[in-house]
Amino acid sequence: MNILFVVDNSSFDMLRFVNLFNTRNNISVDVQKLLKKKEISELQEFLYRLIKKKKITHLIIQTLQNFNWEILIYLKKEFNLKLILISPDCPYNYDTLNGGILELFDLLYTFHIDYVKKYRKKGINTKFFTEPKFINYINIKKKFDISFVGRGKYRDERKKILNELKNLKNIKTKFLLDQEISDYKMNKIIKQSKIHLNFTDTSSATILGSGWANKRKVYSFKGRIINILGANTFCLSQNDSVTKKLFPNGKGVIYFNNTEDLKKKVLFYINNDKERLKIISKIDKKYLSNFSHKTVKKRLITELKNLRFSHKKNPKVN
C-alpha cells in the first residue's frame, strides 16, 4: 500500500493525519503551493509522473478548493487508484459533493459525525474521523485557572467571550489564538490549567476564504475535547448537540449556553475544587482510548488495506 496525500498543508490537523503514515512508501504534496507554480494541465502531468514513479495505490485528498475534479477522474482511471476524501466539517462541502462528485470516492472520512448518515444514504462508504490525540492522564502543577488554544480568525464572538473572561477578577488566564504550536506545548498548557475551554463554532469563512458572502456559522464536533479530557483536565464546552452525544454532560465536561452562563460556571468551578475534581473523576478513559494515536493508526491502516473499489462509474463533472 503506497499512499499519496494531496493536502492543504496550512491545515495543522491534516498534517497530524499525514504524519500517521510517515513512511518511505507514503508521500504528500501541498496542492495550494503547487497551483501557485503550475497551471492545471501541468499539475495533472506532475501527479501522473509522481504516481507512476512511486507506484501509488491510494490517493487521499483533503482540500476541495481550486481543484479540477477531471484530474482525479483521469488519474483514478489511468492507475486504478483507490480514492479517499477527508471532508472538512462544513455543510458547503456536502452541497458541493452532492452535486455529482460523491461517486468518485471509494471512501469518505468526515469530521462531522452528523453527516455520516447523510453521505451513507447516498450510497457512499463513509466513516467518522477525528485526528489522533495524545492521551496522558498524569497530573502536573496548575499555573492557570482557565486556558484556550485555538483559532480566533473570523470568530469575533469567540474573541469577545475570551476578552470578557480576561476581565474577571482574580482569574489567571492563558489564551493563544491563531498560533501553530506543537502538540506537546498545547497539551502542556492544557495540563497546567484547572479549566480548558472547548468551542464548537466553526466559521465557514476559514474554510472558503473571507470572500464567502454569508460566512455562515457552523457548530460541529471538535477533537480538542479529546485533548482536554485525555489530559485529565476539566472541560467547559460550548453547548453542541453532537458533542454532547459523544461526551455526556458531567463526565469530565460541563456545557455552557452563553457568555453569562460560562462566566458563572468558570467562577464556580475555579472556587470549588471538590466539585471540579468530581467531574474529572467521571472521565470515560476506556472510551477515550479509541482516539489515541496507537488505536487510530491501527484502525486507519486496516480500513485502507481492506478498502474495496466502489465499482461506480466515474461522474461527469461540468
Side-chain angles (χ1 to χ4, degrees):
M1 181 173 70
N2 298 337
I3 304 173
L4 170 61
F5 296 90
V6 179
V7 301
D8 175 0
N9 278 344
S10 65
S11 170
F12 209 46
D13 291 342
M14 193 62 198
L15 288 178
R16 293 190 187 100
F17 182 90
V18 173
N19 288 337
L20 276 177
F21 301 90
N22 191 17
T23 71
R24 64 180 181 177
N25 294 327
N26 306 319
I27 54 177
S28 66
V29 295
D30 188 331
V31 69
Q32 301 304 330
K33 288 184 178 179
L34 283 173
L35 286 171
K36 289 179 180 179
K37 299 177 181 178
K38 301 178 182 295
E39 299 294 330
I40 287 292
S41 58
E42 295 176 303
L43 178 62
Q44 178 171 305
E45 182 61 27
F46 170 80
L47 292 174
Y48 179 92
R49 292 197 304 269
L50 186 61
I51 291 170
K52 187 174 183 180
K53 180 180 179 180
K54 298 294 183 178
K55 298 180 180 179
I56 298 298
T57 58
H58 294 63
L59 192 155
I60 300 179
I61 182 168
Q62 172 240 343
T63 181
L64 296 176
Q65 298 182 61
N66 304 318
F67 201 90
N68 188 320
W69 296 108
E70 295 288 355
I71 294 178
L72 287 180
I73 294 173
Y74 168 76
L75 294 173
K76 182 176 183 179
K77 183 178 180 181
E78 191 73 14
F79 295 100
N80 203 29
L81 292 173
K82 292 178 179 177
L83 290 188
I84 300 96
L85 175 69
I86 308 291
S87 178
D89 50 357
C90 175
Y92 167 84
N93 290 321
Y94 177 76
D95 297 338
T96 301
L97 290 166
N98 206 25
I101 304 299
L102 282 169
E103 296 84 357
L104 183 60
F105 299 98
D106 302 295
L107 175 61
L108 189 152
Y109 283 112
T110 176
F111 288 23
H112 201 303
I113 198 167
D114 271 7
Y115 280 76
V116 173
K117 288 184 179 179
K118 290 184 180 182
Y119 284 125
R120 286 178 178 173
K121 283 182 179 178
K122 297 291 182 180
I124 305 304
N125 182 15
T126 307
K127 297 181 184 296
F128 171 66
F129 172 79
T130 184
E131 72 277 7
K133 303 296 183 181
F134 289 104
I135 308 295
N136 183 342
Y137 297 111
I138 299 174
N139 293 314
I140 62 175
K141 186 178 179 180
K142 304 299 183 184
K143 290 179 61 178
F144 315 110
D145 290 316
I146 185 166
S147 64
F148 175 72
V149 179
R151 295 190 180 184
K153 194 175 182 182
Y154 303 122
R155 292 168 171 83
D156 294 337
E157 182 182 347
R158 181 181 296 186
K159 288 186 283 189
K160 184 179 178 181
I161 290 172
L162 295 178
N163 284 331
E164 291 204 29
L165 291 178
K166 284 181 181 179
N167 292 329
L168 291 176
K169 291 182 179 181
N170 302 317
I171 299 295
K172 191 170 184 179
T173 62
K174 178 73 172 181
F175 300 145
L176 294 181
L177 297 179
D178 301 318
Q179 296 185 34
E180 289 193 357
I181 64 173
S182 68
D183 286 336
Y184 172 80
K185 185 175 180 180
M186 179 182 69
N187 285 317
K188 186 176 180 181
I189 291 172
I190 293 173
K191 280 181 167 293
Q192 290 174 327
S193 307
K194 292 181 180 179
I195 298 172
H196 194 85
L197 294 174
N198 179 56
F199 289 98
T200 59
D201 61 313
T202 296
S203 170
S204 298
T206 61
I207 299 172
L208 302 173
S210 58
W212 196 32
N214 294 326
K215 294 185 181 179
R216 287 184 292 170
K217 183 183 290 184
V218 180
Y219 288 91
S220 63
F221 169 77
K222 298 293 182 182
R224 180 59 48 79
I225 193 172
I226 303 170
N227 286 109
I228 302 166
L229 301 184
N232 217 39
T233 297
F234 181 88
C235 176
L236 274 176
S237 177
Q238 215 165 21
N239 201 347
D240 169 67
S241 59
V242 176
T243 308
K244 221 170 187 176
K245 287 178 185 177
L246 296 173
F247 297 93
N249 193 58
K251 291 190 174 182
V253 55
I254 295 293
Y255 293 89
F256 64 89
N257 298 307
N258 51 52
T259 307
E260 289 305 311
D261 186 37
L262 172 60
K263 289 195 290 187
K264 288 178 182 178
K265 286 174 177 174
V266 166
L267 292 173
F268 175 79
Y269 286 107
I270 287 299
N271 295 302
N272 289 274
D273 290 347
K274 186 177 179 180
E275 290 299 316
R276 191 179 70 254
L277 294 173
K278 183 180 178 181
I279 299 294
I280 292 173
S281 70
K282 295 180 180 179
I283 291 174
D284 190 341
K285 295 180 179 180
K286 184 177 180 180
Y287 177 64
L288 278 180
S289 67
N290 293 317
F291 303 98
S292 69
H293 268 77
K294 183 179 180 180
T295 303
V296 172
K297 183 174 182 178
K298 183 179 179 181
R299 176 172 64 82
L300 291 177
I301 289 176
T302 300
E303 288 173 354
L304 292 178
K305 281 186 176 180
N306 296 331
L307 181 61
R308 297 180 180 181
F309 290 106
S310 64
H311 298 297
K312 293 182 179 180
K313 292 182 180 180
N314 291 331
K316 293 181 179 180
V317 182
N318 296 324

